[in-house]
Structures are given as C-alpha cells and as structure tokens.
Amino acid sequence: MIWAAFKLSLLVVSVATFFISVLGTAFGFLLAKRDFHGKELCDSLLTLPMVLPPTVTGYYLILLMGRRGLLGQYLYQWTGWTMTFTWEGAVLAAGIVAMPLMVKSARAAIESVDPRYEIVSRTFGKTEWETFFRVTLPLASRGILAGIVLSFARALGEFGATLMVAGNIPGKTQTMPLAIYEAVISGQDRQARLLALILTATSVAVIYLTNVLTRAKKAA
Amino acid sequence: MLIAVICLAGCRRQLPGREEKTGGGEIVVAAAVSLKDAFSEIARLYEARSGVRVIFNFGGSGELEKQIEFGAPADVFASAGEREMDELAGKGLIVEPSRADFVKNRLVLIVPNSSQLSIRSFADLERAQAQRIAIGNPLTVPAGHYAEQALESAGLWKKLHDRLILAEDVRQVLEYVIRGEVDAGLVYLTDVEIAHGKVREVGEAPEGTYGPIRYPIATIRGSKRLFAAKRFVQFVLSADGQNVLKKFGFVPVE
C-alpha cells in the first residue's frame, strides 16, 4: 500500500507538474506581456482554484469531465473512456488545483524582466520565439523555477479535488494523501505515520534542493 | 498560527457558566450517513418534546468512530455496523448499558435508472458490461464491509476486484450511481428510496451471505449532557422513533 501510493503520487505529480510548467509559463507570459480583452478576468479564472475549496474545484471537474459531464459525455461516447476514477483524473485534479501558483509566479517573474532587453533582442533581428527562449525565459528563470516547486508541492499534497474526481482506489488512484487519510481512519497508525514521514521528507527534499540550485545559480 | 488558536481556546475557558446558561442546550449525535434522513426527522420530534437541540455529525461510521476516538465532541453514536461500535467499546469510550441495536437493514444492488445494461442480479456483475461497481471502502464503511462479505460469498470478490470503486461512505456510492459514473453499486435498501427514482434496485444480496446489518446506538462516556443523550437514545428506541425509521424503510429489531 505504501509503495504503491508513493509510486502513484510521484507519477501523478510528475505528469501534473510537467503540464503545469509548460502551460503555466505560457499563461504567465500572455498575462505579463500581451494585452487582450478580458485579460484580468482570465487571470481571475486561472487563480480561482487557489481560493476555492478543492472539493468545489473537484465538483466542477466532475460536472465537466464526468461520464455524463458537459464534455465528458462526448469523450465517453467516442472512446468509451472516462477520466473519473483513473490516475489521469488525479493528474487533472492536481494540475488544476496547483496551476494558479505557477501562473502567478510566472507572470510576476516575466513582468519583472526589463522590456529593454527584449527590445534589443528584436532589434538584432531575433524572432519572438528566440527572444522568449534566449532572453525572457533565462531572465525570469528563478521565479519560474520557484513556481514549479510551489506547484509541485501543492500537487503532491492535493486531497480534496483528487478524492472527488479520481476516488480512492488502492493501487489505481490512491495517492499518498489519500492513503494517509485511509490509514488514519481505519486505525493503521503505523502505516499512517510512515506515509506521513515519507511525504514530509519528500517535500523537504524538493524544497531544499531547489533552494540550493537557485542559490548556486545566483552565485554563478 | 498555532499560538493564536491556543489563545482563542483559552478565551473560551474564561467564560464559565456559558454552557450551563444555554442550558436546555444541545446534544451532538454522530450518526452513520445512511441514517441522515430518518434521524433528521426523529430529531425534529425529539426537539419538540425535549427542548434540546440536536446537532448532527453524519459520516461514514468508521470515520465517525475515529473522530470520537480522537476526542471529537459527541454525546451519542449511531453506527451502521457493530464493528465500529465494538472498537469504541473496546477503548472504553461508550456507556455500555446504554448500547442497543435499534434497526436492521438490507444490502441491495442498484443501477442508474437510465442504465441500458442488462444487470439484473449479482451474477450479472461478473459479465464485462459492469465495468465499474461502487461499494463503500470495506476498511471504514460498514456498507462496504457487508458488500465485501456478500461478494466473497458469491465467489465474485476476486473476479470483480479491479472494477471496484471505493467510496468514503454509502451515500457517496449512491451519488456515483445517480450520476452514472459507475454501472452499479451496493447500498442499503433504505438508500434507494432517498434517490427518488434516479436509481433502480435490481437485486438483493442473499440473506445470510453478509452481516446481519444491525445498527447499534450508545451514549458516549464523558458526555456532559448524558441525561439528554440518554433520552435521545430512548426516543430512537421508542415506538415513535421506530415508526419514523420504518417510514424510511428500516426494519425494526424484533
């Protein structure tokens, strides 16, 4: 149970963090550097999962992606597959809940990049893409890295929305927080303590590692 | 943060007589979620008679048992299974003489009302059609514990194992079936009525293959409102209380 939950948590959180990093940075860039109608509304919607109770976020996801959900019903008709009660559902739940931390960090980091560098880059005939990857991104990398770590940690601890969307199935969707909950409720105190310890150690290790990495970068 | 909360708790302590003053007061009843509708009505009758307000904490019986064990305030515990009550009794947390079984229930197989699948009995579950079958988590939910026993007796437990969706209480199983997220589920007979025609009962676990499902009730040791708590238990066991339970489909204990 412990090993299965640990492996599953790592899988779910890695995949979720990958998508969060890419999408979150893209959203952050759009919000920081582009002007379009409803920009602040966009930002509010992307931030919403941070302030809503995760169970509410989970409930929305079920209404949207459930077997009879707004989009989920078509997915089910075409593929016979539904996101609920699958590890992919857990990825979606963790990803949506942790996304705001990434978007906020990325937006702030990209906004703080002095636009003159980007203008210079374009003056030298570099394309938008080159400018983004070779100027903006490196200059914003510390804030973006911080966003990745924060969202990783948030995804690792996700409980409420995951329970709603993916359920609590040992070996399939039972991530570490859910396994801890079950162990406590069913009186398996030793397992609960061990799981809690592993989860805490993992979180500390990740945060410590990031701090070390960012310090090293700053010094360089 | 921690210090702030401790300070808040300290403030509460400095208000002596507050609890006595709100006097006629209230009792906290921790009850299995399958009792939700019947107990809410019983509470209305009890409140009208006794002037004591009933505050409910509904949940999976295993979850409630742990909460009480960890010191959650409760004056009465009504469980959907003997196992959870035995756990509390073993730890000396209930008033033994107050313990009594007050209703029985049955385990039934339900499908969403709009289901196109031809699931008509337990045996049909084995066929591939039923891809997802919801039951309560056998570790913490009595209905799930009974479901495991029934499926085990029918020789289906191992075969169905990969298709089982575990819920945190029996009403969650019902929700999954109502929403059509699962193809079938195992709930109490009394839950079917609550769903107002959104689910169909298609079979019943043969008697003797599980349970029996008996709901025990008891007052909690250390309750500050033991008198009111005892009266609530007595009311549940009285003819009036039993009538309400019967109305919601529960079977009286003879």
Side-chain angles (χ1 to χ4, degrees):
Chain A
M1 170 185 171
I2 292 175
W3 181 232
F6 183 66
K7 267 198 315 195
L8 184 71
S9 259
L10 280 190
L11 173 71
V12 168
V13 174
S14 310
V15 178
T17 309
F18 171 75
F19 282 113
I20 291 169
S21 309
V22 176
L23 293 174
T25 308
F27 285 134
F29 177 78
L30 288 178
L31 291 169
K33 296 285 177 189
R34 294 282 181 272
D35 275 313
F36 52 91
H37 276 295
K39 177 167 140 177
E40 290 312 317
L41 186 68
C42 243
D43 185 279
S44 309
L45 286 176
L46 282 166
T47 313
L48 202 56
M50 195 158 89
V51 289
L52 279 182
T55 39
V56 176
T57 307
Y59 183 57
Y60 282 143
L61 288 177
I62 290 174
L63 291 181
L64 194 68
M65 295 303 295
R67 202 190 263 189
R68 291 181 185 172
L70 278 174
L71 298 175
Q73 56 178 319
Y74 301 109
L75 187 70
Y76 184 62
Q77 275 167 23
W78 286 333
T79 61
W81 181 81
T82 324
M83 201 163 244
T84 42
F85 310 120
T86 61
W87 72 268
E88 291 93 335
V91 169
L92 180 74
I96 295 285
V97 170
M99 181 71 85
L101 290 166
M102 185 68 217
V103 177
K104 287 276 164 203
S105 306
R107 180 178 182 176
I110 292 170
E111 262 172 356
S112 71
V113 173
D114 192 331
R116 277 177 296 185
Y117 294 119
E118 292 157 324
I119 294 168
V120 169
S121 163
R122 266 173 254 145
T123 322
F124 279 117
K126 299 292 176 197
T127 63
E128 290 285 326
W129 282 103
E130 279 173 310
T131 305
F132 175 74
F133 280 107
R134 304 187 67 167
V135 178
T136 315
L137 202 58
L139 286 170
S141 65
R142 288 188 65 211
I144 285 173
L145 196 58
I148 293 175
V149 176
L150 283 175
S151 46
F152 175 92
R154 179 64 189 88
L156 188 63
E158 218 312 294
F159 180 87
T162 308
L163 184 63
M164 297 287 276
V165 176
N168 182 11
I169 308 166
K172 273 202 275 184
T173 66
Q174 190 179 67
T175 55
M176 300 271 286
L178 291 159
I180 292 172
Y181 175 74
E182 185 180 283
V184 172
I185 294 298
S186 59
Q188 297 161 314
D189 289 351
R190 271 194 50 213
Q191 281 201 349
R193 274 197 293 268
L194 190 57
L195 277 161
L197 205 68
I198 296 173
L199 193 66
T200 313
T202 312
S203 304
V204 172
V206 169
I207 295 169
Y208 182 80
L209 204 69
T210 328
N211 283 348
V212 170
L213 284 178
T214 42
R215 294 261 164 233
K217 206 169 205 168
K218 196 179 171 189
Chain B
M1 231 9 233
L2 199 64
I3 293 167
V5 173
I6 292 169
C7 289
L8 277 178
C11 295
R12 279 184 61 135
R13 272 193 77 82
Q14 286 163 12
L15 298 170
R18 184 163 166 264
E19 265 165 83
E20 287 96 275
K21 241 179 251 168
T22 45
E26 45 195 45
I27 54 168
V28 178
V29 175
V33 74
S34 48
L35 292 165
K36 190 169 184 179
D37 309 82
F39 262 35
S40 299
E41 189 164 331
I42 283 183
R44 271 198 297 279
L45 296 175
Y46 171 81
E47 281 170 5
R49 278 184 210 186
S50 64
V52 175
R53 231 162 71 79
V54 180
I55 295 171
F56 281 114
N57 178 10
F58 290 112
S61 299
E63 190 184 344
L64 297 172
E65 181 252 304
K66 277 292 153 196
Q67 289 176 1
I68 295 170
E69 196 187 314
F70 293 150
D75 302 297
V76 175
F77 178 43
S79 168
E82 305 279 0
R83 184 179 57 171
E84 286 71 21
M85 193 62 92
D86 289 342
E87 282 268 325
L88 280 190
K91 294 185 171 110
L93 290 169
I94 61 167
V95 180
E96 281 288 350
S98 71
R99 177 172 175 172
D101 290 341
F102 64 101
V103 275
K104 295 194 292 184
N105 213 338
R106 296 197 314 229
L107 193 69
V108 294
L109 177 67
I110 56 169
V111 297
N113 202 16
S114 56
S115 174
Q116 309 283 321
L117 307 176
S118 57
I119 301 172
R120 295 201 186 80
S121 69
F122 267 59
D124 289 339
L125 288 178
E126 206 180 327
R127 298 213 307 265
Q129 291 187 325
Q131 292 168 8
R132 292 169 161 188
I133 303 150
I135 65 169
N137 185 339
L139 287 175
T140 56
V141 183
H145 182 55
Y146 301 130
E148 179 181 2
Q149 290 174 340
L151 291 174
E152 190 84 68
S153 311
L156 291 169
W157 178 250
K158 289 228 170 63
K159 289 178 193 158
L160 295 182
H161 201 264
D162 285 340
R163 294 189 241 159
L164 293 178
I165 306 289
L166 306 184
E168 297 310 312
D169 65 48
V170 70
R171 288 292 164 88
Q172 202 181 357
V173 177
L174 189 68
E175 272 306 308
Y176 286 161
V177 179
I178 289 175
R179 282 205 306 261
E181 292 294 343
V182 297
D183 301 308
L186 285 169
V187 298
Y188 297 123
L189 181 63
T190 49
D191 296 316
V192 179
E193 325 234 330
I194 303 301
H196 300 299
K198 287 181 215 139
V199 300
R200 247 181 313 143
E201 179 193 338
V202 291
E204 188 176 339
E207 225 169 304
T209 64
Y210 65 93
I213 306 178
R214 289 165 165 276
Y215 285 56
I217 190 168
T219 57
I220 302 298
R221 186 175 293 271
S223 156
K224 292 205 178 82
R225 312 209 47 87
L226 206 55
F227 180 70
K230 236 192 267 177
R231 274 189 69 190
F232 182 82
V233 172
Q234 279 162 7
F235 185 71
V236 169
L237 293 166
S238 73
D240 290 336
Q242 292 286 308
N243 276 336
V244 174
L245 287 158
K246 242 185 275 179
K247 198 177 94 187
F248 283 91
F250 288 94
V251 185
V253 179
E254 65 282 338

